[in-house]
Amino acid sequence: MHFMKVKPRTEANGSGYRYQSKACWIRCAGMLTLCAGLLLGQQEVRADAIWDRWKAADAAVQSGHPEAAVPHWTFLADHYASIGDYENAALFCGRLDEYFDKIGDYDQAVHYYELENTYWLKAGKDWGAVDLQRAEQLRTTLEVFYSTDDEALLRSQAAPPGGKLAKFEPQYGTYIGMYTERDPKMQNYFDRSETFYGKKHALYLAYSQVGKAFPRQYASRAKQAGAALQIGWEPAGGLDAVTEDTVRQWAREAKASGIPIFLRYASEMNGDWVVWHGDPQKYIEKFRMVHDIMAQEAPNVAMIWSPGDVPMYSMDAYYPGDDAVDWVGVSMYTEPYENGDPAQGSMLGTSPVERLDYLYKTYAPGSR
């Protein structure tokens, strides 16, 4: 099961404005700080001024006039940012971005959504990722597309900045693949796809665990279908189970398969739901070892580094380096409802394209 961590919110006072459930303890902490300041002899005027702003903003919302709270929220966001209290700064930016979003002032909403994300990051939290996505939804963007059959033009437009294609990269276009494990008609007989779905596919996906034999049957069926094979190779026994002898034997069998193999080794490493999460340095060491052995033993293998699209800000620590990665992939789950149950509410908080934005801007050719 995979979940997106989002900034928790609850409805308050029937006003239609959403407040973070974290607000209670943050506010209490702020009150305690103010009280402590009074007891310790700090300037009462400043403490009273901050608390007066809190009360005035709350009173404005409760009276049905949230617009009157805006100057107080702005003052409080700036004040807390100025003293390095980024959690409270993010909290008040959150009230501002939601207010401006609701009234249709999208330029201001975008500004405060981005500022809220910045402050959450400074506070060591990733709760602002969804705010950044909402900012992208609101920002006006015009994209123009056209269709052409001119292959020379397509190749020139798709050429990478350095001019060199990655291993198995097509000159233009994309590979369309299929995962058939749970398809009762296909049953991992890859040559059936044209019969049932009207076309062949470029590659098929299979899973295998580190320590088990190379999946020869899947490779044989992919070869029979004239396709490549993507293998999700998972160290279910932990990273220590990824030894040189184990990897080298597997690599030799991969070479013997005689087909292009896209090796998605230890994916979703940035999520705590996999056992190979938690030690970025060891992960990188093992990934680079696997890459080096494949380069020596199995030149038909392309290495894929594939984090989950969430948690967004934890993937960078696991990146093994451009020289060890042929392709960057991503695991992204966009089912409309959790476990297929509409009663649990929609999971589509934003579009798949927007969820890929950070990954693409960080790892696409020319971005690093």
Side-chain angles (χ1 to χ4, degrees):
M1 189 62 59
H2 307 288
F3 301 94
M4 177 183 291
K5 180 185 283 186
V6 299
K7 178 182 52 181
R9 306 181 188 272
T10 58
E11 297 293 329
N13 303 321
S15 64
Y17 291 91
R18 296 176 294 170
Y19 291 81
Q20 289 85 343
S21 60
K22 299 286 183 183
C24 179
W25 70 262
I26 294 175
R27 179 171 177 174
C28 290
M31 292 171 63
L32 290 172
T33 301
L34 292 173
C35 292
L38 293 175
L39 290 173
L40 293 174
Q42 295 179 3
Q43 294 181 1
E44 295 185 18
V45 175
R46 183 164 183 79
D48 287 343
I50 302 303
W51 179 230
D52 286 346
R53 293 279 191 167
W54 278 79
K55 293 190 296 182
D58 289 348
V61 173
Q62 290 168 5
S63 65
H65 297 285
E67 69 280 357
V70 170
H72 302 299
W73 290 336
T74 304
F75 172 87
L76 290 165
D78 292 343
H79 164 71
Y80 284 116
S82 71
I83 63 173
D85 183 350
Y86 294 114
E87 290 184 344
N88 267 328
L91 180 73
F92 286 108
C93 284
R95 298 187 181 185
L96 287 162
D97 58 43
E98 290 174 356
Y99 169 77
F100 287 120
D101 196 340
K102 184 175 182 181
I103 67 171
D105 188 343
Y106 297 127
D107 287 340
Q108 286 279 54
V110 167
H111 169 72
Y112 282 108
Y113 277 125
E114 292 180 332
L115 194 57
E116 182 182 0
N117 176 63
T118 297
Y119 289 151
W120 283 127
L121 289 177
K122 288 184 176 182
K125 313 288 186 183
D126 65 356
W127 297 344
V130 70
D131 296 293
L132 204 59
Q133 291 170 351
R134 179 57 178 162
E136 290 298 326
Q137 289 176 336
L138 295 177
R139 184 178 286 107
T140 301
T141 304
L142 178 64
E143 296 180 314
V144 179
F145 300 89
Y146 65 92
S147 178
T148 180
D149 294 324
D150 185 338
E151 291 196 12
L153 177 62
L154 290 170
R155 283 194 292 270
S156 66
Q157 292 292 317
K164 183 180 179 181
L165 296 172
K167 182 179 283 189
F168 305 142
E169 181 181 0
Q171 290 186 320
Y172 65 90
T174 186
Y175 295 132
I176 303 297
M178 178 182 286
Y179 174 54
T180 67
E181 189 81 46
R182 301 172 70 178
D183 186 331
K185 294 183 292 187
M186 292 283 294
Q187 295 182 351
N188 285 330
Y189 290 93
F190 303 141
D191 58 352
R192 295 179 179 179
S193 64
E194 188 172 18
T195 300
F196 293 122
Y197 299 108
K199 61 177 64 179
K200 296 180 179 180
H201 287 69
L203 68 162
Y204 296 88
L205 169 64
Y207 285 94
S208 182
Q209 292 185 8
V210 173
K212 292 189 175 182
F214 177 82
R216 293 192 190 93
Q217 188 176 58
Y218 289 113
S220 175
R221 289 176 179 174
K223 188 172 186 178
Q224 184 177 358
L229 184 66
Q230 180 185 158
I231 299 177
W233 202 33
E234 301 183 335
L239 291 173
D240 289 337
V242 185
T243 64
E244 181 176 345
D245 289 343
T246 298
V247 175
R248 197 170 294 280
Q249 178 59 36
W250 197 94
R252 289 167 180 165
E253 295 186 57
K255 179 182 179 181
S257 70
I259 60 171
I261 291 176
F262 292 79
L263 183 58
R264 192 179 63 164
Y265 165 74
S267 63
E268 302 181 31
M269 74 303 295
N270 55 318
D272 61 7
W273 51 84
V274 296
V275 298
W276 48 91
H277 167 83
D279 189 338
Q281 182 176 355
K282 181 180 286 188
Y283 176 88
I284 290 172
E285 290 173 357
K286 295 294 186 177
F287 191 103
R288 293 184 67 86
M289 181 187 75
V290 173
H291 166 271
D292 292 347
I293 292 175
M294 294 300 158
Q296 297 164 11
E297 302 283 357
N300 59 315
V301 171
M303 291 294 297
I304 304 176
W305 179 75
S306 184
D309 74 307
V310 292
M312 179 188 298
Y313 295 116
S314 62
M315 64 178 70
D316 295 347
Y318 290 87
Y319 188 64
D322 292 352
D323 60 332
V325 175
D326 296 307
W327 290 65
V328 172
V330 63
S331 294
M332 182 171 63
Y333 300 88
T334 59
E335 68 262 43
Y337 304 103
E338 185 178 329
N339 296 324
D341 182 4
Q344 297 192 44
S346 174
M347 296 178 68
L348 299 180
T350 187
S351 78
V353 172
E354 287 156 351
R355 288 173 58 179
L356 288 172
D357 191 63
Y358 176 81
L359 181 84
Y360 188 82
K361 288 181 178 178
T362 305
Y363 298 105
S367 63
R368 299 182 67 81

